[in-house]
Amino acid sequence: MSEDDGLLREPRSDAGAADFRAQTFGSGPDGDGSRERPVVPHAEFRSYYGRQVLKSPVWDWRIAAYLFTGGLAAGTALVAAGADVTGRPALRRGCRLGCSGSLIASMYLLVADLGRPERFHHMLRVAKPTSPMSVGTWVLAAFGPGSVLAAGSELLPASARSTLPGRLLVGAARPAGLWAAALAPAVASYTAVLLSQTAVPAWHEARRELPFLFAGSAAAAGGGFGMLVAPVAEAGPARRLGATGAAAELVASRLIERRPGLVTRAYTGGRAHRLRRASEWLTLGGALAALTLAGRSRRVAAAGAALLAGGVLQRFGTFEAGVASTKDPAYVVVPQRERLRAAERERERPGAQEEPEKPEAAGGDRG
């Protein structure tokens, strides 16, 4: 058979992320790269009886809500610490209470989804640095007491503040709040690391951008919450943090969508795309309003609500993208074949298999 037949020719289509059949068989009349119609059609990849290759995550909406409430707790901890240092009591009080409430809701959602909630304490029996779940559990365990202690000082009645326990609680509130703020970045991003270490293609392939997406979303949500609970005169730090977090979130979201490969289609199609696009519009609108109109009127509350809603939709959209990527076998098979072809091209590269010359042993026979 001559080379001109084209039947043995390597597929020339590099758009494998766009079309699975073209990726596998080329771009001929029958998708096999040839100019003639073969007698026997080429076999096309299909999963066994149309079944998906990976099992979908067993998590439900509670985990998506947990991702948001955990990020909100981290963002409000940052705002509360900044308000405490700069002397903004209303903003400090609202964000301390919001941080504690979000953390409690986050822990409830996480424990409720475990199936056996009474076994949650087993996660604290070991500390495994190589496990994102173990690290995240201990980060939450260290973050929780500081945020709850700071919130407790805000709920202390005025009559109890003059007592010795009251004075100790009020005095410990600032160090506890600063401690929680120091751990806030880890709380905001560890869930992204946890998702990216799974076998879910959409989460694993976006492992470099997800931590920045979640951290930016947490900052935007924390700033939005502060804009809701504080008067206009005290909401300046919340507006700035919300706008900064929104910018980071939007940039990371677009970087995920522009990654090469088929897997990014899980983010740009279906329900995940609709949720994430609505999130981007709300986040962008909230950030612009926070920087322009909200500083002079009560529109700061509307801007904060937009940032919060954008954060909710972003987490649910990311969760939906991961579930969708497990249902289509192409999201698993195409990247595998791309990696195999890249490895084959590397092996076929001239000089790739040549062994380096061994240096002549010192003092050897030179005759």
Side-chain angles (χ1 to χ4, degrees):
M1 184 180 295
S2 65
E3 295 182 356
D4 293 334
D5 292 335
L7 295 177
L8 299 180
R9 188 182 307 160
E10 190 72 14
R12 293 180 295 177
S13 174
D14 292 330
D19 185 6
F20 180 72
R21 183 176 178 84
Q23 165 76 3
T24 309
F25 302 115
S27 57
D30 283 333
D32 60 356
S34 65
R35 294 191 297 267
E36 299 178 359
R37 184 179 298 277
V39 178
V40 179
H42 285 278
E44 182 178 356
F45 169 79
R46 296 183 185 275
S47 61
Y48 185 72
Y49 284 101
R51 296 178 182 270
Q52 60 190 72
V53 176
L54 294 175
K55 290 184 178 180
S56 298
V58 297
W59 302 328
D60 58 16
W61 65 270
R62 287 173 292 189
I63 291 299
Y66 155 73
L67 298 176
F68 169 73
T69 53
L72 179 60
T76 48
L78 287 173
V79 178
D84 186 24
V85 172
T86 57
R88 291 176 169 86
L91 180 62
R92 180 199 66 205
R93 175 183 172 83
C95 286
R96 280 181 175 178
L97 296 178
C99 175
S100 182
S102 301
L103 179 64
I104 293 173
S106 176
M107 296 301 296
Y108 169 78
L109 292 167
L110 176 62
V111 173
D113 192 72
L114 290 177
R116 296 290 299 274
E118 69 274 10
R119 295 185 176 180
F120 174 74
H121 67 278
H122 290 182
M123 300 174 68
L124 298 175
R125 295 173 59 182
V126 296
K128 192 175 182 181
T130 57
S131 169
M133 178 68 76
S134 179
V135 173
T137 301
W138 281 101
V139 167
L140 286 177
F143 176 83
S147 61
V148 172
L149 181 62
S153 69
E154 299 294 343
L155 297 175
L156 193 66
S159 58
R161 291 177 178 271
S162 59
T163 63
L164 178 60
R167 291 197 301 271
L168 292 176
L169 180 60
V170 172
R174 173 171 289 187
L178 293 176
W179 169 255
L183 293 175
V187 174
S189 58
Y190 97 90
T191 50
V193 178
L194 177 63
L195 294 181
S196 65
Q197 294 304 307
T198 64
V200 176
W203 297 339
H204 182 71
E205 291 297 322
R207 58 189 178 275
R208 294 182 179 87
E209 294 87 2
L210 272 184
F212 296 98
L213 177 70
F214 279 27
S217 178
F225 186 88
M227 294 157 64
L228 277 174
V229 300
V232 177
E234 295 189 11
R239 293 197 304 270
R240 289 187 287 272
L241 180 65
T244 303
E249 177 185 351
L250 292 172
V251 170
S253 178
R254 287 309 175 96
L255 288 177
I256 290 176
E257 294 180 358
R258 294 185 180 183
R259 285 183 60 87
L262 177 66
V263 175
T264 55
R265 287 199 168 189
Y267 293 95
T268 58
R271 186 164 182 261
H273 173 70
R274 293 191 295 272
L275 290 172
R276 298 181 76 252
R277 191 61 70 233
S279 167
E280 289 183 357
W281 282 112
L282 286 168
T283 301
L284 179 61
L288 292 177
L291 292 175
T292 56
L293 304 176
R296 298 185 297 273
S297 68
R298 286 303 301 171
R299 292 174 184 171
V300 65
L307 290 176
L308 279 173
V312 173
L313 295 179
Q314 183 65 253
R315 302 304 175 100
F316 274 82
T318 302
F319 181 81
E320 287 292 333
V323 175
S325 68
T326 62
K327 295 181 178 180
D328 189 346
Y331 287 123
V332 179
V333 176
V334 169
Q336 288 179 345
R337 294 192 175 185
E338 289 176 347
R339 288 191 290 268
L340 286 175
R341 288 173 178 171
E344 290 176 357
R345 287 193 295 267
E346 181 65 22
R347 287 195 298 268
E348 293 173 358
R349 184 172 55 85
Q353 299 293 334
E354 295 181 2
E355 296 183 358
E357 297 182 0
K358 296 182 179 180
E360 186 178 3
D365 186 7
R366 300 184 181 183

